[in-house]
Amino acid sequence: MDEPLRTQITTLLHRLDHLMRDGGGLRDALSLDSTGSRELELVRLWQRECAETIGQLSGGNKGHWLSRAYSHAFLLSAGSGQVATGVPVTEIVDRILKVLAQASASLSQAGLETVATASRGRC
């Protein structure tokens, strides 16, 4: 794998890890006080950072599986086809954390496949 691609993948994986740690901390803080305006503002800022990273990873393509998964994390559904009201913010945070974990796993796999392809090309 060429060095710029390796660096880019490493940087993005680090960014995803950082977002997942921050999200876990926010979820824990919200578990203690789900009405705290400070925590809710921090969640909004975190969601924007997540959206920027997802946008970068999906190339700005709203049809990309990762973009769709991120958008789906915000859908309010009661599970029986009815619209839910009052879904806890912690549930939304958990959904976003799952999307970030999927992105990290996919990016890690892509990096491994790129390394394997580069190695085969050198033989």
Side-chain angles (χ1 to χ4, degrees):
M1 173 183 336
D2 63 355
E3 199 55 38
L5 181 57
R6 182 186 321 243
T7 300
Q8 187 176 20
I9 289 173
T10 301
T11 300
L12 287 167
L13 285 170
H14 176 74
R15 179 78 181 131
L16 288 166
D17 183 57
H18 174 74
L19 288 169
M20 287 187 284
R21 271 183 292 156
D22 286 353
L26 287 169
R27 181 193 54 223
D28 293 345
L30 286 166
S31 295
L32 299 173
D33 181 12
S34 64
T35 60
S37 61
R38 170 102 172 110
E39 286 80 11
L40 293 174
E41 181 58 31
L42 290 173
V43 167
R44 282 187 210 94
L45 292 171
W46 175 75
Q47 288 173 341
R48 277 186 233 138
E49 289 181 47
C50 292
E52 288 174 17
T53 302
I54 296 298
Q56 182 180 6
L57 287 167
S58 64
N61 181 352
K62 298 286 185 186
H64 190 276
W65 70 266
L66 189 55
S67 258
R68 288 192 325 267
Y70 184 73
S71 294
H72 190 266
F74 290 92
L75 293 178
L76 305 178
S77 167
S80 61
Q82 298 177 354
V83 174
T85 57
V87 174
V89 176
T90 53
E91 184 177 331
I92 301 294
V93 170
D94 282 337
R95 292 176 189 176
I96 294 171
L97 287 170
K98 288 177 184 173
V99 172
L100 295 174
Q102 290 174 325
S104 183
S106 180
L107 188 57
S108 294
Q109 183 62 37
L112 291 174
E113 289 171 4
T114 303
V115 169
T117 301
S119 297
R120 282 193 297 266
R122 290 186 200 138
C123 295

